[in-house]
Every structure is written in C-alpha cells, then in structure tokens.
Amino acid sequence: MLRPLLRPGYWCECWSRSPATGPRSVLLASIETDSPSEATRWIRITVRTIASALDREAAHEAWDWITYGYKEAEDALTKGEAATFALTQQDTHIEWILRPVTFLPLAHRESRRLPACAEQFTCPTTHKIARHQPNSH
C-alpha cells in the first residue's frame, strides 16, 4: 500500500528580536510536528527552560501559558488556525508561531543517499562579477 504523498502537520517557529539582532527578528529554531499537542509541547519545554531567567512579569506570563494558555493554542490549531505566544524580557522579544500546514516530502531525511534524480544536476558554476566602474559620462 502506498503512503499518501501529502500529509497534514504543523510548522513551528521561534523568532527573536533584541539589540543583538538589530531591528529585524531572527529565526532561532523551527520544527515540524504531527499534532497540535506536539507543537505546543515544543513551546512549553522551551519556555519552561528559560522561565527561571525571566523577570517576575514575564515569568508569570510564561507559567500561565505553560499551565493554561497552550490549550487555547491547541484548539486554534485543531480548527486550522495559526497560534502564537510571545514573551518580552527588557529589550528582548521572543515569539513562537505555530501553523497548520500540508507537508510534501521531497526526500527521506534519514536516507544516507540522495534520490537518483539528485545526481542529474551539476554544481552551479561560479561567475565573475564585473567590478563597478564609475560612469565616464
């Protein structure tokens, strides 16, 4: 029996913005999961790990989400909606984003060899980049 090519799942990301990253948020981590509970568990474990280093207000928000808030996120994911959780500690902002997605497997991740079609492609050639010369007009 053939496995279906497409499979439902959840894409989870953790973004951070701080003076070290500048004005843009930086992707810290991402995972794929098969269920809403696995998606929220990833956040709960991460938040539990950092909770002791947070100030009182952020720690309270963190423990509140770990204990109760994750259930709302799981409900949203089950309904096909995205969910987020964010914490701010002084000038650092961390945001977790969970989205329902449909996965299309391109290659088996545990395989030691690439699929046969991968050998049909050659490495890209390097091109010389012309140095910018001022306009002589």
Side-chain angles (χ1 to χ4, degrees):
M1 183 173 169
L2 293 174
R3 287 186 352 196
L5 195 53
L6 301 175
R7 70 175 175 82
Y10 302 88
W11 182 249
C12 313
E13 299 173 335
C14 178
W15 292 84
S16 177
R17 186 179 63 251
S18 71
T21 65
R24 289 190 166 168
S25 293
V26 174
L27 180 64
L28 297 178
S30 61
I31 65 164
E32 64 182 62
T33 67
D34 293 323
S35 70
S37 63
E38 288 176 359
T40 59
R41 187 176 319 132
W42 178 64
I43 297 174
R44 292 171 72 202
I45 290 168
T46 305
V47 172
R48 192 176 293 126
T49 302
I50 66 170
S52 64
L54 298 172
D55 62 34
R56 185 180 201 110
E57 185 178 331
H60 179 73
E61 289 178 45
W63 284 109
D64 191 45
W65 196 88
I66 289 169
T67 308
Y68 306 107
Y70 77 94
K71 294 174 186 175
E72 197 173 299
E74 285 182 9
D75 289 344
L77 292 171
T78 301
K79 294 176 189 172
E81 302 167 358
T84 62
F85 175 63
L87 287 173
T88 299
Q89 166 84 12
Q90 296 174 358
D91 53 4
T92 300
H93 181 78
I94 304 172
E95 183 173 25
W96 291 267
I97 303 168
L98 310 173
R99 292 181 184 93
V101 296
T102 302
F103 291 110
L104 172 63
L106 300 177
H108 195 283
R109 289 184 175 191
E110 296 174 10
S111 181
R112 292 178 189 237
R113 284 194 54 166
L114 291 173
C117 64
E119 295 176 21
Q120 295 175 356
F121 300 98
T122 60
C123 292
T125 59
T126 56
H127 298 284
K128 293 183 180 178
I129 299 173
R131 292 190 181 176
H132 177 68
Q133 307 234 343
N135 213 349
S136 59
H137 296 270

